[in-house]
């Protein structure tokens, strides 16, 4: 392999893998071929994990609704207690002090 | 099988304002190991913020001033070259200290992924056994899902207040649990529509760094993690646990690396301000899902051997609306369930399909939008002078490479021609279940790539 440097080879290997893994051949041009992450090879590998975890999350929704009879946030008895004992109502002074914030530009 | 992610120990944050970071904030939560990086460029192509530097064949690095800490590069690096700042050691130390009450704030997406670290299939739901494991380790529990319910009450009401103000109203009556309050909404005239969600700290930082013009559109609500910290040390300390606030140490357990940064932001000391005690943080430390698995392993606790039976009490109670915060479209659906109740006055049973807003669920599309017709109760019919309100919503399911999915949506908002009332933005594709702090399943390399990289490694420099 006399005149191939490690860096040149990695560049070749890397290029191949970019195409194989991400499907984003956009060297130099900055152009993105696919905007949909889930249509890229990396995205497709993630999608199955996303799907199964998502199913788990909706299963929890079902358990909460079936077994604990709580679908919407105001149905949580502890939420009711929190507001009646402490925060009074949403957007109250206590809420503003503890639960809200403000944002500043960072440039 | 999941892959172990290398970590490095966190410090006390920057000592003065530095670049896009402010005093006290943690800078450089995600780092590329220069020894291991082979320059395959995958990280750069998934980065939502254009923060990765380097081209194919070069060692890559992260421009921390542009980075929004989402960890998507870490999750998707095929070579395990990306590392995360960790607070595992600090938390274990606090667990040993008997006078400290260590409170775990457990996020929804953790419960559908932590089992993977203990050999189970992805998506295995782990709630009761996760709580039991945390208790065995010495934690008390403040469900981040309870905080999600708090968020919905605040954020949903804020949305209604903005809609009312922009419909020309001065006040808005809101009835909850049979009690009526009349909210002054005039000041909400200065808060524009659409309202953006603000639970995702990577998105909040994205807006602060790249689109400060839309900051007034962001909901003023803190993320659930920060609401939990502030409530735990005030109401929790006084009314529920009856302990001194300064003896509480709050630990976010998150699917997310950006949450590590979020907790260090200087403004998140509201419990201390409220109680007039200085030097108190709302959230003291953050563990990712992977970090929590490490803590449990170090303490010889396997949640999978414990019972999944759950008996929620106090801050462990949460609703279905809260738990779906973990998936893309979930915050939106939870907000719609609440807004639907307030506006229509209806109280469907828990299993009613009226609580399902399937049109907003993320699935595999980068941007989802929907129009939700909500019937108005008689009182609101008079106020809004209509029988039904059409709520127009949009869900951005992952900011996308260099902002590709979010940019068109945000440009419309900046130009004042966005059709929506409410927009949810989650930085990670699929939502927090696919967050940068979750167990990492290695990307499968094909034989061809394996051969290339093995060969490359054997060539002399
Ligand atoms: S994905 Fe990993 S190996 Fe590839 S360039 Fe980025 S850090 Fe290096
Ligand atoms: S992918 Fe996320 S964590 Fe990685 S460099 Fe980009 S913004 Fe930072
Ligand atoms: S989508 Fe969730 S996991 Fe990803 S950065 Fe935002 S809050 Fe963190």
């Amino acid at each position: 392999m006399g005149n191939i440097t490690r860096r040149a080879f990695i560049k070749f290997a890397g290029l191949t893998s970019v195409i194989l893994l991400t499907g984003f051949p956009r060297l130099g041009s900055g152009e993105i071929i696919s905007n949909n992450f889930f249509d890229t090879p990396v995205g497709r590998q993630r999608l199955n994990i996303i799907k199964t975890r998502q199913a788990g999350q909706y299963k929890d929704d079902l358990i909460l609704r079936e077994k604990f009879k709580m679908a919407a946030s105001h149905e949580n008895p502890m939420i009711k207690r929190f507001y009646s004992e402490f925060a009074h109502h949403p957007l109250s002074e206590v809420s503003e002090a503890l639960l809200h914030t403000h944002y500043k530009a960072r440039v | 099988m999941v892959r172990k992610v290398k970590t490095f120990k966190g410090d006390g944050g920057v000592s003065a304002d530095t670049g896009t970071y402010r005093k006290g904030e943690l800078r450089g939560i995600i780092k590329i190991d220069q020894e291991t990086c082979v320059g395959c460029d995958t990280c750069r192509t998934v980065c939502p913020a254009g923060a990765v530097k380097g081209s194919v064949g070069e060692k890559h690095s992260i421009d921390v001033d542009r980075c929004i800490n989402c960890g998507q590069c870490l999750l998707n690096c095929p070579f395990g070259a990306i590392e995360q700042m960790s607070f595992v050691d600090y938390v274990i130390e606090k667990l040993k200290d008997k006078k400290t009450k260590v409170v775990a704030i457990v996020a929804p997406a953790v419960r559908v992924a932590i089992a993977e670290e203990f050999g189970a299939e992805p998506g295995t739901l782990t709630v009761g056994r996760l709580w039991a494991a945390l208790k065995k380790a010495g934690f008390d529990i403040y469900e981040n899902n309870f905080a999600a319910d708090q968020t919905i009450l605040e954020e949903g009401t804020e949305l209604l207040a903005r809609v009312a103000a922009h419909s020309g109203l001065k006040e808005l009556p809101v009835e909850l649990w049979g009690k009526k309050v009349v909210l002054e909404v005039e000041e909400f005239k200065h808060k524009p529509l659409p309202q953006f969600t603000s639970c995702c700290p990577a998105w909040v930082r994205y807006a602060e760094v790249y689109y400060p013009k839309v900051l007034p559109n962001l909901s003023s609500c803190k993320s659930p993690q920060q609401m939990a910290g502030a409530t735990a040390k005030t109401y929790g300390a006084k009314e529920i646990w009856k302990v001194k606030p300064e003896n509480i140490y709050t630990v976010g357990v998150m699917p997310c690396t950006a949450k590590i940064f979020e907790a260090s932001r200087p403004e998140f000391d509201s419990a201390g301000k409220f109680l007039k005690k200085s030097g108190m943080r709302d959230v003291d430390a953050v563990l990712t899902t992977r970090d929590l698995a490490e803590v449990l392993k170090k303490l010889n606790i396997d949640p999978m051997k414990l019972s999944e039976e759950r008996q929620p009490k106090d801050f462990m109670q949460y609703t279905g609306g809260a738990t779906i915060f973990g998936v893309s479209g979930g915050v939106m659906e939870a907000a719609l369930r609440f807004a639907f109740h307030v506006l229509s006055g209806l109280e469907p049973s828990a299993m009613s399909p009226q609580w399902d807003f399937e049109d907003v669920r993320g699935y595999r599309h980068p941007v989802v939008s929907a129009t939700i017709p909500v019937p108005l109760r008689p009182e609101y019919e008079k106020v809004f002078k209509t029988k039904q309100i059409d709520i127009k919503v949009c869900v951005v399911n992952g900011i996308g490479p260099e902002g590709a999915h979010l940019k068109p949506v945000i440009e419309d908002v900046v130009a004042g021609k966005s059709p929506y009332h409410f927009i949810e933005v989650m930085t990670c594709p699929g939502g927090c279940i696919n967050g940068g702090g979750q167990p990492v399943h290695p990307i499968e390399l094909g034989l061809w790539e394996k051969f290339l990289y093995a060969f490359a490694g054997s060539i002399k420099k």
Side-chain angles (χ1 to χ4, degrees):
Chain A
M1 305 294 301
N3 41 19
I4 303 177
T5 61
R6 183 172 189 268
R7 186 154 178 270
F9 192 86
I10 289 196
K11 202 155 192 150
F12 168 66
L15 190 55
T16 317
S17 106
V18 176
I19 295 165
L20 292 176
L21 288 168
T22 66
F24 286 102
R26 44 166 212 165
L27 293 162
S29 71
E31 200 182 310
I32 299 167
I33 299 298
S34 171
N35 272 348
N36 190 346
F37 173 79
F38 300 126
D39 284 341
T40 68
V42 170
R44 276 197 288 273
Q45 293 197 19
R46 289 278 161 260
L47 191 61
N48 281 333
I49 297 161
I50 291 173
K51 272 189 191 150
T52 50
R53 289 182 186 159
Q54 199 176 43
Q57 209 88 68
Y58 285 112
K59 187 174 150 201
D60 200 29
D61 180 24
L62 208 66
I63 292 174
L64 266 309
R65 294 164 70 170
E66 244 167 25
K67 203 166 153 216
F68 299 98
K69 309 279 175 255
M70 291 191 273
S73 297
H74 70 282
E75 295 180 298
N76 183 337
M78 187 64 187
I79 284 288
K80 190 177 168 188
R81 187 172 160 202
F82 167 72
Y83 282 104
S84 62
E85 286 184 359
F86 187 68
H88 315 299
H89 58 81
L91 306 181
S92 70
E93 249 172 71
V94 177
S95 294
E96 290 293 341
L98 293 176
L99 310 180
H100 292 257
T101 185
H102 49 266
Y103 312 103
K104 284 195 211 97
R106 291 176 188 248
V107 274
Chain B
M1 265 300 108
V2 295
R3 190 183 67 208
K4 195 158 163 50
V5 170
K6 276 183 262 171
T7 58
F8 54 96
K9 207 168 166 182
D11 57 23
V14 289
S15 51
D17 291 9
T18 317
T20 57
Y21 293 81
R22 285 170 296 156
K23 192 170 174 244
E25 287 178 343
L26 297 169
R27 194 169 192 266
I29 280 167
I30 307 291
K31 188 164 90 178
I32 297 180
D33 173 18
Q34 297 299 304
E35 287 296 301
T36 322
C37 175
V38 302
C40 74
D41 210 38
T42 307
C43 52
R44 196 175 62 86
T45 60
V46 297
C47 177
V52 178
K53 292 185 294 190
S55 61
V56 172
E58 287 176 358
K59 303 279 182 199
H60 283 44
S61 62
I62 294 170
D63 176 350
V64 287
D65 283 323
R66 297 180 66 83
C67 172
I68 57 173
N69 307 308
C70 67
Q72 281 299 307
C73 53
L74 181 159
L75 201 63
N76 291 307
C77 169
F79 297 92
I82 310 189
E83 309 179 359
Q84 172 223 309
M85 185 184 285
S86 148
F87 288 83
V88 163
D89 296 341
Y90 298 94
V91 173
I92 290 185
E93 225 168 89
K94 286 289 172 186
L95 285 169
K96 283 189 203 142
D97 174 9
K98 290 289 159 256
K99 43 175 229 307
T100 306
K101 188 180 194 68
V102 187
V103 176
I105 302 166
V106 202
V110 175
R111 71 206 66 214
V112 293
I114 182 107
E116 294 161 30
E117 293 281 345
F118 296 89
E121 289 297 308
T124 306
L125 188 62
T126 312
V127 183
R129 46 198 167 190
L130 177 56
W131 288 346
L134 286 165
K135 280 189 186 153
K136 218 169 159 185
F139 290 97
D140 274 80
I141 295 159
Y142 189 118
E143 258 299 337
N144 199 48
N145 269 338
F146 172 73
D149 281 327
Q150 287 178 294
T151 304
I152 285 303
L153 272 272
E154 297 292 333
E155 191 163 350
T157 310
E158 182 186 353
L159 176 64
L160 297 177
R162 287 192 197 216
V163 171
H166 291 278
S167 315
L169 302 181
K170 290 197 164 51
E171 46 188 39
L172 177 78
V174 174
E175 195 180 308
L176 278 169
W177 308 295
K179 223 181 85 189
K180 196 152 92 181
V181 277
V182 179
L183 300 173
E184 307 270 337
V185 296
E186 258 203 297
E187 56 171 304
F188 287 86
K189 270 223 284 279
H190 308 292
K191 296 192 171 194
L193 285 170
Q195 176 174 305
F196 278 102
T197 57
S198 57
C199 341
C200 170
W203 147 238
V204 169
R205 184 167 153 77
Y206 186 89
E208 287 174 329
V209 175
Y210 299 95
Y211 282 97
K213 267 195 193 149
V214 300
L215 291 175
N217 293 76
L218 264 66
S219 161
S220 66
C221 287
K222 292 178 181 174
S223 76
Q225 168 175 274
Q226 297 306 137
M227 287 197 182
T231 310
K233 292 194 178 186
T234 52
Y235 174 62
K238 189 161 170 258
E239 304 288 344
I240 309 296
W241 298 312
K242 306 194 186 340
V243 293
K244 282 200 188 127
E246 47 273 50
N247 290 349
I248 295 180
Y249 186 82
T250 40
V251 182
V253 179
M254 299 286 144
C256 176
T257 45
K259 293 276 173 194
I260 303 173
F261 164 75
E262 180 187 58
S264 74
R265 296 171 64 117
E267 66 267 33
F268 291 147
D269 61 348
S270 15
K273 283 208 191 91
F274 191 82
L275 301 164
K276 302 198 171 55
K277 289 179 197 287
S278 66
M280 189 186 279
R281 301 295 307 159
D282 291 342
V283 174
D284 294 293
V286 175
L287 300 176
T288 60
T289 307
R290 299 186 295 266
D291 292 336
L292 176 67
E294 194 183 330
V295 169
L296 295 177
K297 282 174 190 165
K298 282 192 173 167
L299 299 175
N300 260 321
I301 300 168
D302 181 351
M304 303 316 281
K305 295 200 173 113
L306 304 171
S307 157
E308 179 55 19
E309 195 62 38
R310 47 174 121 163
Q311 276 158 353
K313 62 189 246 294
D314 299 339
F315 294 129
M316 290 154 82
Q317 300 181 76
Y318 66 88
T319 68
T323 203
I324 56 176
F325 264 56
V327 294
S328 171
V331 178
M332 181 59 73
E333 185 167 354
L336 287 172
R337 288 180 190 179
F338 174 70
F340 176 81
H341 162 72
V342 174
L343 288 171
S344 70
L346 296 173
E347 190 76 83
S349 82
M351 293 313 288
S352 163
Q354 274 185 297
W355 290 128
D356 291 319
F357 295 92
E358 289 183 8
D359 288 354
V360 305
R361 294 188 182 173
Y363 296 117
R364 49 169 295 127
H365 299 291
V367 179
V368 177
S369 60
T371 302
I372 312 287
V374 182
L376 294 182
R377 50 191 281 208
E379 191 176 8
Y380 284 140
E381 262 184 42
K382 273 183 239 142
V383 176
F384 290 104
K385 301 190 180 66
T386 169
K387 279 185 179 323
Q388 174 185 306
I389 278 190
D390 287 333
I391 302 186
K392 293 195 173 71
V393 301
C394 173
V395 173
V396 179
N397 178 16
I399 285 180
E402 284 186 29
H405 307 156
L406 173 66
K407 273 182 183 167
V409 175
I410 223 173
E411 295 289 354
D412 274 0
V413 174
V414 173
K417 49 179 202 188
S418 175
Y420 304 115
H421 294 107
F422 197 24
I423 304 175
E424 175 194 302
V425 182
M426 290 296 152
T427 301
C428 304
C432 305
I433 47 170
N434 185 36
Q438 293 284 57
V440 176
H441 296 264
I443 291 181
E444 297 282 330
L445 293 177
L447 268 182
W448 172 232
E449 293 136 335
K450 275 189 194 149
F451 167 74
L452 284 175
Y453 282 103
F455 193 51
S458 70
I459 301 178
K460 293 230 162 56
K461 275 181 205 168

